[in-house]
Short mmCIF file of all heavy atoms in Angstrom, two decimals:
data_model
loop_
_atom_site.label_atom_id
_atom_site.label_comp_id
_atom_site.label_asym_id
_atom_site.label_seq_id
_atom_site.Cartn_x
_atom_site.Cartn_y
_atom_site.Cartn_z
N GLU A 427 12.36 9.57 10.41
CA GLU A 427 11.82 10.31 9.27
C GLU A 427 12.02 9.50 7.98
O GLU A 427 12.82 8.57 7.95
CB GLU A 427 12.56 11.65 9.14
CG GLU A 427 12.35 12.58 10.32
CD GLU A 427 10.91 13.02 10.48
OE1 GLU A 427 10.24 13.28 9.46
OE2 GLU A 427 10.43 13.08 11.63
N PRO A 428 11.33 9.88 6.92
CA PRO A 428 11.62 9.23 5.63
C PRO A 428 13.08 9.45 5.26
O PRO A 428 13.68 10.48 5.59
CB PRO A 428 10.69 9.99 4.65
CG PRO A 428 9.58 10.51 5.50
CD PRO A 428 10.24 10.85 6.82
N TYR A 429 13.65 8.48 4.59
CA TYR A 429 15.06 8.55 4.18
C TYR A 429 15.18 7.98 2.77
O TYR A 429 14.31 7.25 2.30
CB TYR A 429 15.94 7.76 5.15
CG TYR A 429 15.57 6.30 5.26
CD1 TYR A 429 16.15 5.34 4.42
CD2 TYR A 429 14.61 5.87 6.18
CE1 TYR A 429 15.80 4.01 4.50
CE2 TYR A 429 14.25 4.54 6.27
CZ TYR A 429 14.84 3.62 5.44
OH TYR A 429 14.48 2.29 5.52
N GLN A 430 16.25 8.32 2.10
CA GLN A 430 16.50 7.82 0.75
C GLN A 430 17.40 6.59 0.78
O GLN A 430 18.32 6.51 1.59
CB GLN A 430 17.15 8.89 -0.12
CG GLN A 430 16.13 9.83 -0.73
CD GLN A 430 16.77 10.77 -1.72
OE1 GLN A 430 17.57 11.61 -1.33
NE2 GLN A 430 16.40 10.64 -2.99
N ALA A 431 17.10 5.67 -0.12
CA ALA A 431 17.92 4.48 -0.30
C ALA A 431 18.45 4.46 -1.72
O ALA A 431 17.78 4.95 -2.64
CB ALA A 431 17.09 3.23 -0.03
N ASP A 432 19.62 3.93 -1.90
CA ASP A 432 20.21 3.84 -3.23
C ASP A 432 19.97 2.45 -3.80
O ASP A 432 20.51 1.47 -3.32
CB ASP A 432 21.71 4.13 -3.16
CG ASP A 432 22.35 4.23 -4.53
OD1 ASP A 432 21.68 3.94 -5.54
OD2 ASP A 432 23.54 4.60 -4.58
N MET A 433 19.14 2.38 -4.82
CA MET A 433 18.83 1.09 -5.45
C MET A 433 19.61 0.90 -6.75
O MET A 433 19.37 -0.05 -7.48
CB MET A 433 17.33 0.95 -5.68
CG MET A 433 16.56 0.86 -4.37
SD MET A 433 14.82 0.48 -4.60
CE MET A 433 14.89 -1.20 -5.19
N GLY A 434 20.53 1.82 -7.03
CA GLY A 434 21.36 1.71 -8.23
C GLY A 434 20.73 2.36 -9.44
O GLY A 434 19.54 2.69 -9.46
N LYS A 435 21.56 2.61 -10.43
CA LYS A 435 21.14 3.22 -11.69
C LYS A 435 20.40 4.55 -11.48
O LYS A 435 19.48 4.89 -12.21
CB LYS A 435 20.28 2.26 -12.50
CG LYS A 435 21.02 1.00 -12.89
CD LYS A 435 20.19 0.11 -13.77
CE LYS A 435 20.99 -1.15 -14.08
NZ LYS A 435 20.25 -2.09 -14.89
N GLY A 436 20.80 5.28 -10.43
CA GLY A 436 20.23 6.59 -10.17
C GLY A 436 18.89 6.59 -9.47
O GLY A 436 18.33 7.65 -9.20
N PHE A 437 18.35 5.41 -9.14
CA PHE A 437 17.06 5.35 -8.45
C PHE A 437 17.28 5.42 -6.95
O PHE A 437 17.91 4.54 -6.37
CB PHE A 437 16.32 4.07 -8.84
CG PHE A 437 14.93 3.97 -8.25
CD1 PHE A 437 14.05 5.04 -8.28
CD2 PHE A 437 14.49 2.78 -7.68
CE1 PHE A 437 12.78 4.95 -7.75
CE2 PHE A 437 13.22 2.67 -7.15
CZ PHE A 437 12.36 3.76 -7.19
N ARG A 438 16.80 6.50 -6.34
CA ARG A 438 16.96 6.75 -4.91
C ARG A 438 15.60 7.02 -4.27
O ARG A 438 15.27 8.16 -3.97
CB ARG A 438 17.93 7.90 -4.68
CG ARG A 438 19.35 7.59 -5.16
CD ARG A 438 20.35 8.70 -4.88
NE ARG A 438 20.21 9.36 -3.61
CZ ARG A 438 20.70 8.92 -2.44
NH1 ARG A 438 21.37 7.81 -2.39
NH2 ARG A 438 20.52 9.62 -1.33
N PRO A 439 14.82 5.97 -4.05
CA PRO A 439 13.48 6.15 -3.49
C PRO A 439 13.51 6.51 -2.01
O PRO A 439 14.47 6.18 -1.30
CB PRO A 439 12.83 4.78 -3.69
CG PRO A 439 13.98 3.83 -3.62
CD PRO A 439 15.13 4.56 -4.28
N PHE A 440 12.45 7.16 -1.57
CA PHE A 440 12.27 7.45 -0.15
C PHE A 440 11.56 6.28 0.51
O PHE A 440 10.69 5.65 -0.10
CB PHE A 440 11.49 8.75 0.04
CG PHE A 440 12.31 9.97 -0.21
CD1 PHE A 440 12.46 10.48 -1.49
CD2 PHE A 440 12.96 10.60 0.84
CE1 PHE A 440 13.22 11.59 -1.73
CE2 PHE A 440 13.74 11.73 0.61
CZ PHE A 440 13.87 12.22 -0.68
N ARG A 441 11.92 6.04 1.76
CA ARG A 441 11.36 4.92 2.54
C ARG A 441 11.08 5.35 3.97
O ARG A 441 11.60 6.36 4.43
CB ARG A 441 12.35 3.75 2.59
CG ARG A 441 12.64 3.15 1.25
CD ARG A 441 13.68 2.07 1.36
NE ARG A 441 13.83 1.39 0.07
CZ ARG A 441 14.77 0.51 -0.18
NH1 ARG A 441 15.65 0.19 0.75
NH2 ARG A 441 14.83 -0.07 -1.36
N ARG A 442 10.30 4.55 4.64
CA ARG A 442 10.09 4.65 6.09
C ARG A 442 10.26 3.26 6.64
O ARG A 442 9.86 2.28 6.01
CB ARG A 442 8.70 5.15 6.43
CG ARG A 442 8.51 6.63 6.22
CD ARG A 442 7.32 7.12 7.02
NE ARG A 442 7.79 7.52 8.33
CZ ARG A 442 7.75 8.77 8.78
NH1 ARG A 442 7.23 9.73 8.05
NH2 ARG A 442 8.20 9.07 9.97
N ASP A 443 10.79 3.16 7.85
CA ASP A 443 10.94 1.86 8.51
C ASP A 443 9.61 1.45 9.15
O ASP A 443 8.89 2.29 9.71
CB ASP A 443 12.04 1.91 9.57
CG ASP A 443 13.42 2.01 8.94
OD1 ASP A 443 13.59 1.59 7.79
OD2 ASP A 443 14.34 2.51 9.63
N VAL A 444 9.31 0.16 9.06
CA VAL A 444 8.05 -0.38 9.57
C VAL A 444 8.32 -1.67 10.34
O VAL A 444 9.13 -2.50 9.91
CB VAL A 444 7.07 -0.69 8.39
CG1 VAL A 444 5.80 -1.34 8.90
CG2 VAL A 444 6.76 0.58 7.62
N ALA A 445 7.64 -1.82 11.46
CA ALA A 445 7.64 -3.09 12.20
C ALA A 445 6.47 -3.90 11.64
O ALA A 445 5.30 -3.62 11.95
CB ALA A 445 7.47 -2.84 13.69
N TRP A 446 6.77 -4.86 10.78
CA TRP A 446 5.72 -5.66 10.15
C TRP A 446 5.17 -6.68 11.14
O TRP A 446 5.92 -7.26 11.91
CB TRP A 446 6.26 -6.35 8.90
CG TRP A 446 6.66 -5.37 7.85
CD1 TRP A 446 7.92 -5.10 7.41
CD2 TRP A 446 5.79 -4.50 7.10
NE1 TRP A 446 7.89 -4.12 6.44
CE2 TRP A 446 6.59 -3.74 6.23
CE3 TRP A 446 4.41 -4.29 7.08
CZ2 TRP A 446 6.06 -2.79 5.36
CZ3 TRP A 446 3.89 -3.35 6.22
CH2 TRP A 446 4.71 -2.61 5.37
N LEU A 447 3.89 -6.88 11.10
CA LEU A 447 3.21 -7.82 11.99
C LEU A 447 3.06 -9.17 11.30
O LEU A 447 3.05 -9.26 10.08
CB LEU A 447 1.82 -7.29 12.35
CG LEU A 447 1.78 -5.89 12.97
CD1 LEU A 447 0.34 -5.44 13.15
CD2 LEU A 447 2.52 -5.87 14.30
N ASP A 448 2.91 -10.21 12.12
CA ASP A 448 2.60 -11.52 11.57
C ASP A 448 1.17 -11.49 11.05
O ASP A 448 0.27 -10.93 11.68
CB ASP A 448 2.73 -12.60 12.65
CG ASP A 448 4.17 -12.84 13.06
OD1 ASP A 448 5.06 -12.61 12.22
OD2 ASP A 448 4.39 -13.25 14.20
N GLY A 449 0.98 -12.06 9.91
CA GLY A 449 -0.34 -12.13 9.30
C GLY A 449 -0.23 -12.78 7.95
O GLY A 449 0.87 -12.96 7.42
N HIS A 450 -1.36 -13.13 7.38
CA HIS A 450 -1.37 -13.80 6.09
C HIS A 450 -2.09 -12.93 5.06
O HIS A 450 -2.84 -12.03 5.40
CB HIS A 450 -2.03 -15.17 6.19
CG HIS A 450 -3.41 -15.12 6.79
ND1 HIS A 450 -4.53 -14.74 6.07
CD2 HIS A 450 -3.83 -15.37 8.05
CE1 HIS A 450 -5.59 -14.77 6.86
NE2 HIS A 450 -5.20 -15.14 8.07
N GLU A 451 -1.85 -13.23 3.81
CA GLU A 451 -2.50 -12.54 2.71
C GLU A 451 -4.02 -12.71 2.84
O GLU A 451 -4.50 -13.77 3.22
CB GLU A 451 -2.01 -13.19 1.42
CG GLU A 451 -2.42 -12.55 0.16
CD GLU A 451 -1.79 -13.28 -1.02
OE1 GLU A 451 -0.57 -13.13 -1.22
OE2 GLU A 451 -2.53 -14.01 -1.70
N ALA A 452 -4.76 -11.63 2.52
CA ALA A 452 -6.22 -11.69 2.60
C ALA A 452 -6.84 -10.96 1.41
O ALA A 452 -6.53 -9.78 1.18
CB ALA A 452 -6.70 -11.06 3.91
N SER A 453 -7.70 -11.63 0.70
CA SER A 453 -8.38 -11.04 -0.44
C SER A 453 -9.22 -9.84 0.00
O SER A 453 -9.88 -9.88 1.05
CB SER A 453 -9.28 -12.07 -1.11
OG SER A 453 -10.05 -11.46 -2.13
N ILE A 454 -9.23 -8.80 -0.82
CA ILE A 454 -10.06 -7.64 -0.55
C ILE A 454 -11.52 -7.91 -0.94
O ILE A 454 -12.44 -7.26 -0.44
CB ILE A 454 -9.53 -6.39 -1.27
CG1 ILE A 454 -10.18 -5.12 -0.70
CG2 ILE A 454 -9.75 -6.49 -2.77
CD1 ILE A 454 -9.58 -3.83 -1.21
N LEU A 455 -11.75 -8.86 -1.83
CA LEU A 455 -13.08 -9.06 -2.40
C LEU A 455 -14.18 -9.30 -1.37
O LEU A 455 -15.22 -8.65 -1.43
CB LEU A 455 -13.03 -10.16 -3.46
CG LEU A 455 -12.09 -9.86 -4.64
CD1 LEU A 455 -12.08 -11.01 -5.63
CD2 LEU A 455 -12.44 -8.55 -5.32
N PRO A 456 -13.99 -10.19 -0.37
CA PRO A 456 -15.06 -10.37 0.60
C PRO A 456 -15.21 -9.19 1.58
O PRO A 456 -16.21 -9.10 2.28
CB PRO A 456 -14.68 -11.64 1.35
CG PRO A 456 -13.24 -11.85 1.09
CD PRO A 456 -12.91 -11.16 -0.19
N LEU A 457 -14.25 -8.29 1.60
CA LEU A 457 -14.28 -7.14 2.53
C LEU A 457 -14.85 -5.88 1.89
O LEU A 457 -15.18 -4.92 2.60
CB LEU A 457 -12.87 -6.83 3.02
CG LEU A 457 -12.13 -7.92 3.78
CD1 LEU A 457 -10.71 -7.49 4.08
CD2 LEU A 457 -12.88 -8.25 5.05
N ARG A 458 -14.95 -5.86 0.58
CA ARG A 458 -15.31 -4.63 -0.13
C ARG A 458 -16.55 -3.94 0.41
O ARG A 458 -16.54 -2.73 0.62
CB ARG A 458 -15.50 -4.91 -1.62
CG ARG A 458 -14.24 -5.01 -2.37
CD ARG A 458 -14.38 -5.12 -3.85
NE ARG A 458 -15.74 -5.18 -4.36
CZ ARG A 458 -16.07 -5.63 -5.54
NH1 ARG A 458 -15.14 -6.08 -6.35
NH2 ARG A 458 -17.32 -5.66 -5.94
N ALA A 459 -17.60 -4.66 0.65
CA ALA A 459 -18.85 -4.05 1.11
C ALA A 459 -18.72 -3.45 2.51
O ALA A 459 -19.44 -2.51 2.85
CB ALA A 459 -19.99 -5.06 1.07
N ALA A 460 -17.81 -3.97 3.31
CA ALA A 460 -17.66 -3.51 4.69
C ALA A 460 -16.66 -2.36 4.86
O ALA A 460 -16.71 -1.63 5.85
CB ALA A 460 -17.23 -4.68 5.58
N LEU A 461 -15.75 -2.20 3.91
CA LEU A 461 -14.71 -1.18 4.03
C LEU A 461 -15.23 0.19 3.64
O LEU A 461 -15.75 0.38 2.54
CB LEU A 461 -13.50 -1.55 3.17
CG LEU A 461 -12.73 -2.80 3.61
CD1 LEU A 461 -11.71 -3.20 2.55
CD2 LEU A 461 -12.06 -2.58 4.96
N GLY A 462 -15.08 1.15 4.52
CA GLY A 462 -15.59 2.50 4.30
C GLY A 462 -14.87 3.28 3.22
O GLY A 462 -15.44 4.21 2.64
N PHE A 463 -13.63 2.95 2.93
CA PHE A 463 -12.89 3.73 1.92
C PHE A 463 -13.11 3.19 0.51
O PHE A 463 -12.61 3.76 -0.46
CB PHE A 463 -11.39 3.78 2.24
CG PHE A 463 -10.65 2.50 2.04
CD1 PHE A 463 -9.97 2.25 0.85
CD2 PHE A 463 -10.61 1.54 3.04
CE1 PHE A 463 -9.28 1.07 0.66
CE2 PHE A 463 -9.91 0.36 2.86
CZ PHE A 463 -9.25 0.12 1.67
N ILE A 464 -13.86 2.11 0.39
CA ILE A 464 -14.16 1.51 -0.92
C ILE A 464 -15.53 1.97 -1.38
O ILE A 464 -16.49 1.93 -0.63
CB ILE A 464 -14.16 -0.04 -0.80
CG1 ILE A 464 -12.79 -0.56 -0.40
CG2 ILE A 464 -14.63 -0.69 -2.09
CD1 ILE A 464 -11.72 -0.43 -1.43
N SER A 465 -15.62 2.38 -2.63
CA SER A 465 -16.92 2.76 -3.18
C SER A 465 -17.60 1.53 -3.77
O SER A 465 -16.96 0.51 -4.03
CB SER A 465 -16.75 3.84 -4.26
OG SER A 465 -15.98 3.34 -5.32
N GLU A 466 -18.88 1.63 -3.97
CA GLU A 466 -19.63 0.53 -4.57
C GLU A 466 -19.55 0.61 -6.08
O GLU A 466 -19.23 1.65 -6.63
CB GLU A 466 -21.08 0.58 -4.11
CG GLU A 466 -21.24 0.30 -2.63
CD GLU A 466 -22.70 0.27 -2.21
OE1 GLU A 466 -23.55 -0.14 -3.03
OE2 GLU A 466 -22.97 0.65 -1.08
N GLY A 467 -19.85 -0.48 -6.73
CA GLY A 467 -19.92 -0.48 -8.18
C GLY A 467 -18.65 -0.94 -8.85
O GLY A 467 -17.69 -1.36 -8.21
N PRO A 468 -18.63 -0.83 -10.17
CA PRO A 468 -17.50 -1.36 -10.95
C PRO A 468 -16.19 -0.62 -10.73
O PRO A 468 -15.12 -1.17 -10.98
CB PRO A 468 -17.98 -1.24 -12.40
CG PRO A 468 -19.04 -0.20 -12.38
CD PRO A 468 -19.67 -0.27 -11.03
N ASN A 469 -16.24 0.61 -10.25
CA ASN A 469 -15.01 1.39 -10.00
C ASN A 469 -14.63 1.40 -8.52
O ASN A 469 -14.08 2.37 -8.02
CB ASN A 469 -15.19 2.82 -10.52
CG ASN A 469 -15.39 2.85 -12.02
OD1 ASN A 469 -14.79 2.07 -12.75
ND2 ASN A 469 -16.27 3.72 -12.48
N TRP A 470 -14.91 0.31 -7.83
CA TRP A 470 -14.71 0.24 -6.39
C TRP A 470 -13.27 0.57 -5.96
O TRP A 470 -13.05 1.10 -4.90
CB TRP A 470 -15.11 -1.13 -5.86
CG TRP A 470 -14.30 -2.27 -6.41
CD1 TRP A 470 -14.61 -3.04 -7.49
CD2 TRP A 470 -13.06 -2.77 -5.90
NE1 TRP A 470 -13.63 -3.98 -7.69
CE2 TRP A 470 -12.67 -3.84 -6.74
CE3 TRP A 470 -12.24 -2.41 -4.83
CZ2 TRP A 470 -11.50 -4.56 -6.53
CZ3 TRP A 470 -11.07 -3.12 -4.63
CH2 TRP A 470 -10.71 -4.18 -5.46
N GLY A 471 -12.29 0.27 -6.77
CA GLY A 471 -10.89 0.47 -6.38
C GLY A 471 -10.29 1.79 -6.81
O GLY A 471 -9.09 2.00 -6.67
N TYR A 472 -11.11 2.71 -7.29
CA TYR A 472 -10.59 3.95 -7.85
C TYR A 472 -9.69 4.72 -6.88
O TYR A 472 -8.62 5.19 -7.27
CB TYR A 472 -11.74 4.85 -8.33
CG TYR A 472 -11.24 6.05 -9.07
CD1 TYR A 472 -10.78 5.94 -10.38
CD2 TYR A 472 -11.20 7.31 -8.47
CE1 TYR A 472 -10.29 7.04 -11.07
CE2 TYR A 472 -10.72 8.41 -9.14
CZ TYR A 472 -10.27 8.28 -10.44
OH TYR A 472 -9.78 9.36 -11.10
N ARG A 473 -10.09 4.86 -5.63
CA ARG A 473 -9.27 5.60 -4.65
C ARG A 473 -7.90 4.99 -4.45
O ARG A 473 -6.93 5.67 -4.14
CB ARG A 473 -9.97 5.67 -3.30
CG ARG A 473 -11.03 6.73 -3.26
CD ARG A 473 -11.52 7.01 -1.86
NE ARG A 473 -10.51 7.70 -1.06
CZ ARG A 473 -10.48 7.68 0.26
NH1 ARG A 473 -11.37 7.00 0.93
NH2 ARG A 473 -9.55 8.34 0.92
N LEU A 474 -7.79 3.69 -4.64
CA LEU A 474 -6.51 3.02 -4.44
C LEU A 474 -5.48 3.44 -5.47
O LEU A 474 -4.28 3.27 -5.25
CB LEU A 474 -6.71 1.50 -4.46
CG LEU A 474 -7.52 0.96 -3.27
CD1 LEU A 474 -7.92 -0.48 -3.54
CD2 LEU A 474 -6.73 1.09 -1.99
#
């Protein structure tokens, strides 16, 4: 389940553990037209 971590100075954010996969950084720009959760136009990243 989500759990709290103590980062000091009263900041106790909630976290979840993740098994990260191998992969490299990838620009969103060439994918924008293909991604269903992205809208078209100048406000394409609004949902994010």
